[in-house]
Amino acid sequence: MILPIVGYGAPILRKVAQPIDQSYPNLKELVANMYETMYAADGVGLAAPQVDLPIRLVVIGFRPYDEKTDSYGEVTEQHTLVNPEIVAFGEKKDYYNEGCLSVPDIHEDVLRPTTVRVHYWDEDWVEHTDDATGLYARVVQHEVDHLDGKVFTDRLSNLRRTMLRRKLNDIVAGKVHTKYRMKRAK
Ligand code: ZN
């Protein structure tokens, strides 16, 4: 089931999400819905607060995009992260052009470490520690920020953010068109 995505300006995107335990009901169903929602919106990551749930849960998935046919291939890499914690950051940083399903039509270069070590459980409550690199390292940092009430535009310079103010205000006001369903900020 595709879930509506909460837009920039919604208070839930500013709250620190809470860890869950094994008593959390219907976790696998929720995870499946989050993947479906993410892929339908052409996203590569989705955090539970973006579907209006204040819990520490993230899904990440990558598929090759074919420009000729304007379509996506099979999923090549997928991670479900329950209660993720970044336990180490690599020293090297670089810029990458980020976007966010909660912040439509804004893409900005964000400086972050290129590698991180992340500790988490999957949807079967199997514990993992991954040394993430490349796009995985990038997306996991973006998504864990969501769990801590942060949005990628918070990491831009004051000047950049000022320049984006009108576009951000339009998202808060619901004046934005997306191919996926959005939930107005309450
Ligand atoms: Zn995001």
Side-chain angles (χ1 to χ4, degrees), residues 12-109:
I12 192 162
L13 294 180
R14 293 307 186 184
K15 283 189 192 130
V16 176
Q18 294 304 304
I20 58 171
D21 62 25
Q22 295 195 30
S23 70
Y24 192 84
N26 306 320
L27 177 62
K28 285 195 177 177
E29 190 186 339
L30 171 60
V31 165
N33 289 341
M34 285 177 65
Y35 277 118
E36 191 182 349
T37 301
M38 178 183 78
Y39 289 127
D42 297 341
V44 291
L46 187 68
Q50 294 181 274
V51 291
D52 218 6
L53 293 169
I55 58 170
R56 301 189 81 81
L57 170 64
V58 162
V59 297
I60 293 172
F62 307 131
R63 303 173 295 174
Y65 173 69
D66 184 345
E67 260 180 47
K68 277 189 205 138
T69 58
D70 187 26
S71 64
Y72 289 92
E74 293 294 304
V75 173
T76 52
E77 185 180 342
Q78 192 166 276
H79 305 273
T80 305
L81 298 92
V82 178
N83 302 336
E85 187 187 355
I86 296 174
V87 293
F89 292 89
E91 277 179 21
K92 189 169 171 261
K93 291 184 180 183
D94 68 4
Y95 285 94
Y96 185 86
N97 199 253
E98 293 190 22
C100 179
L101 297 177
S102 295
V103 192
D105 298 335
I106 294 181
H107 293 88
E108 292 288 328
D109 289 340

